[in-house]
Each structure stands twice: as structure tokens, then as C-alpha cells.
Amino acid sequence: MTTTGHEGAEALKALEALEPFGPVQPLEPVEPVEPVELWAALRLRTQARIGLGRAGSALPTRHRLELQAAHAAARDAVHSPFDPDAVTARLPDLPVIRVRSAAPDRLTYLQRPDLGRRLHPTDRAHLPVGDWDVVFVVADGLSSRAVHDHAAQMVRATAARLPDLRIGPVVLAEQARVALGDDIAAAMGATAVVVLVGERPGMSAADSLGAYLTHRPRPGTTTDADRNCLSNIRPPLGLTYETASRKLAALLTKARELGATGVRLKDTEEEPGELRG
């Protein structure tokens, strides 16, 4: 929309007439806020990539290289082989059993999630049957690095908080997904299963461990709604072993009282160790 000089002058007079205090005065200049320090302070409180700036129409070279390095670390975490011996060495006082899923190799595991949820037929016969309250399954999942770094410490820390429960042998599962724990627990006669699994790597973390708790799992029937999950176990940047094991032990105790996990079991921890269903 354009106006002539006469129309513009008339509009200015009308505006001044509406202003009870006379002509509108220009605002005092405001000192511009420099965002660099603000973004720097925020980046200290998160691993998210925020306020990275730009070089022309692209990311600055340093941040672009960091992104490529993070992507490479995530790919390595997914494809690096699981080393059961490394985990076993960190559990010297606990019986350990090794099993495989029905996925014969890593490529098949990635392409066929369903096979990663089922036990290899041969390995099922190697599992002992007992009156176990809980069995721990250490599964490579999508980050063997997370399992190597954190799983054994979580097993020991959680088991130490459950002196009154009958804990079965630790099962190390290769090419495994979370639901493989249902098959293992059913085969062993365990009431509950805790699956410690390498979580899907992100661009900020390639070593995150998840803990999935299921009470009375039913192979092929149990869904994610029937589980409780603690994620991002990776001290010092995520949950510490002390915090995660305390929460997990409290959830196990409450699950036994409720006879259920998942949506019926809420982690509403107000005091350390206090949970409500």
C-alpha cells in the first residue's frame, strides 16, 4: 500500500491528534543483547547441539566435524561386536550363562527385529529352571559399548539391594532385543526379568544403557505397556549406578506387591526408595 505526500501528512496529523501527550517521541536506544554468552552458558547444561552458529549458510567447520564424529561413534556402537568375556570378568562372584537370539548375525538382527526377540532353539535347553524371583539379562541391543561399560556394575549394584530375593544366574544374550527377556524368564521359571540393554545411540550419546523390568512376562504377548524402563544409565553424564539401582530395586519390590509392572506401576519417588503404584 502506498500513499501520496498529502495523504501521508494527513495521516501523521491524525496520529498526533490521537496521542494525548503530544507527538510520539522516539524510544531510547536499547543496548543490543549479545547472544554468544547466553548460548555458551546453556551449552554447559545440556549435551544437545544448540546455538552452534553458522558459517555462511552452513554450520561452522568445528561443529560439522563434531557432528560427523558423533555419527561415526553411533555407527560403531551399533556394529561393534558384543564381548561376553568382558562382562563375565566383571561378575566374578555370580553364575553366568550365555545365549543367543534367533538372529544368526548382526545384519539379520538389524533387519529382522522379530528374530532378536526369540531365543535360539539350541540355547533354550541350556537355561536352568528354578524358583527365581528375578533374573538379570544383559543384552547387547544397539550399543555393545553401553553394555561393556555399565551392565556389570548395574547388576552388582541392584543385586546388593535385593538380599531377600532369589536371583537366578545372569544371562548374557547376543543379538538380543528387550523382549528376548520374556522368553528367557519363561524358560527359567523366573517371576520377573530385568533386561539391561544397550540403547539406540543418539548424536549426543553412544553409551546409554537401559533397564527394562517386566513382572510375569509372557513371550509373544507382553507389550511395552507391561514394562517399566530406566534409561540413560551412564555416569557421570546420565543416571548414576547408585540412583538407577535404587530406583530399579524399589520398582522390583513394588512390582511384587502389585503383581504387575508397566502402566500400573508408577515411579513417583518422593523419598529415596518410596514408590507408589
Side-chain angles (χ1 to χ4, degrees):
M1 176 180 178
T2 60
T3 60
T4 65
H6 174 73
E7 291 172 336
E10 291 297 324
L12 181 59
K13 287 181 181 179
L15 179 62
E16 291 177 349
L18 292 174
E19 175 56 57
F21 300 105
V24 177
Q25 299 297 323
L27 295 174
E28 292 293 329
V30 178
E31 192 70 25
V33 177
E34 176 57 57
V36 175
E37 293 184 4
L38 172 62
W39 286 119
L42 290 174
R43 281 197 295 270
L44 292 175
R45 291 165 172 78
T46 178
Q47 289 187 280
R49 289 177 169 81
I50 58 174
L52 301 182
R54 62 178 181 169
S57 60
L59 283 173
T61 301
R62 178 169 65 88
H63 294 305
R64 182 176 177 82
L65 292 175
E66 289 173 349
L67 190 65
Q68 290 175 339
H71 184 253
R75 288 177 61 89
D76 285 348
V78 170
H79 291 284
S80 294
F82 181 40
D83 184 0
D85 290 334
V87 180
T88 302
R90 296 176 181 175
L91 297 169
D93 301 325
L94 297 174
V96 173
I97 301 171
R98 301 183 186 183
V99 299
R100 299 161 295 166
S101 75
D105 52 54
R106 197 61 173 171
L107 182 59
T108 305
Y109 169 82
L110 295 173
Q111 294 177 337
R112 292 283 308 275
D114 58 312
L115 296 181
R117 301 184 183 108
R118 301 203 303 265
L119 263 174
H120 190 283
T122 303
D123 291 353
R124 183 185 300 273
H126 298 159
L127 291 172
V129 179
D131 190 18
W132 318 114
D133 292 317
V134 61
V135 61
F136 288 90
V137 176
V138 175
D140 51 359
L142 291 171
S143 175
S144 57
R145 173 183 168 188
V147 173
H148 296 157
D149 290 351
H150 309 302
Q153 293 90 323
M154 270 299 297
V155 170
R156 295 201 309 267
T158 307
R161 295 177 181 273
L162 303 168
D164 298 328
L165 296 191
R166 298 180 296 271
I167 300 175
V170 179
V171 180
L172 307 186
E174 190 172 359
Q175 313 293 12
R177 296 185 182 268
V178 172
L180 186 68
D182 302 343
D183 217 353
I184 292 172
M188 296 180 66
T191 302
V193 61
V194 173
V195 179
L196 300 170
V197 62
E199 295 182 315
R200 184 186 306 275
M203 300 306 286
S204 298
D207 63 336
S208 181
L209 185 76
Y212 291 80
L213 167 63
T214 311
H215 183 79
R216 297 201 180 281
R218 303 172 304 280
T221 303
T222 297
T223 68
D224 289 341
D226 300 312
R227 312 185 199 281
N228 288 86
C229 173
L230 297 176
S231 63
N232 199 34
I233 302 170
R234 55 184 195 102
L237 299 175
L239 281 179
T240 65
Y241 304 137
E242 179 181 0
T243 299
S245 64
R246 187 191 74 232
K247 285 178 173 288
L248 186 55
L251 283 168
L252 270 165
T253 300
K254 191 63 176 180
R256 287 170 56 80
E257 297 173 3
L258 289 176
T261 48
V263 294
R264 291 182 57 191
L265 178 61
K266 304 297 183 183
D267 181 359
T268 55
E269 190 173 13
E270 298 176 357
E271 300 283 340
E274 179 183 346
L275 292 167
R276 297 180 181 176

